[in-house]
Amino acid sequence: YKKYTTGTVGTAQSKEVTGLPTDGSTVHVWLYSKIGGSWSYENMQYITCRAAQPGDGQKAELTGPAPGSTLAGSTVTFQWNAGTNVTEYWLDVGAPGDYKKYSTGTVGTAQSKEVTGLPTDGSTVQVWLYSKIGGVWTLENMQYVTYTAAH
């Protein structure tokens, strides 16, 4: 249980720990507090992020409409390339403060999704495209793009 670090930190409220695994394994943390001369502890568990591995794959990228462009109307078909070793895609289309306002969810293995009900007031439309690679969804396999709504 003392594999990565151990010892008192005095009255500090944080401690940097290096050398943690990057394989998706569980790390246990015991935080001890001395209160009134007695020690008590809390046991917490964290799941480490899995680092990209050679051969994992490459995330998909939005190809249409062109990232950063102005959308043509209230109905738009978003398209993306396949990436490599991607087994599923997830698309969120929203607005500042509401990331799934217009559409959210998996699109399976499709490489496009028609979204209706988009604004036509020149506001910002935000799109998140996630690629499932190696059986996991990670933020590093996500693309974020903003568009200007039609006006």
Side-chain angles (χ1 to χ4, degrees), residues 78-97:
F78 294 95
Q79 301 171 323
W80 51 89
N81 63 25
T84 56
N85 297 327
V86 178
T87 57
E88 189 176 357
Y89 306 99
W90 182 289
L91 188 72
D92 287 331
V93 181

Side-chain angles (χ1 to χ4, degrees), residues 10 18 29-31 40 48 58 61 86 95 98 102 131-132 134 138 150:
T18 60
V29 176
W30 286 267
L31 177 62
S40 62
T48 62
Q58 181 66 37
E61 298 280 343
V86 178
D98 188 353
Y102 307 113
S131 301
K132 189 175 190 179
T138 67

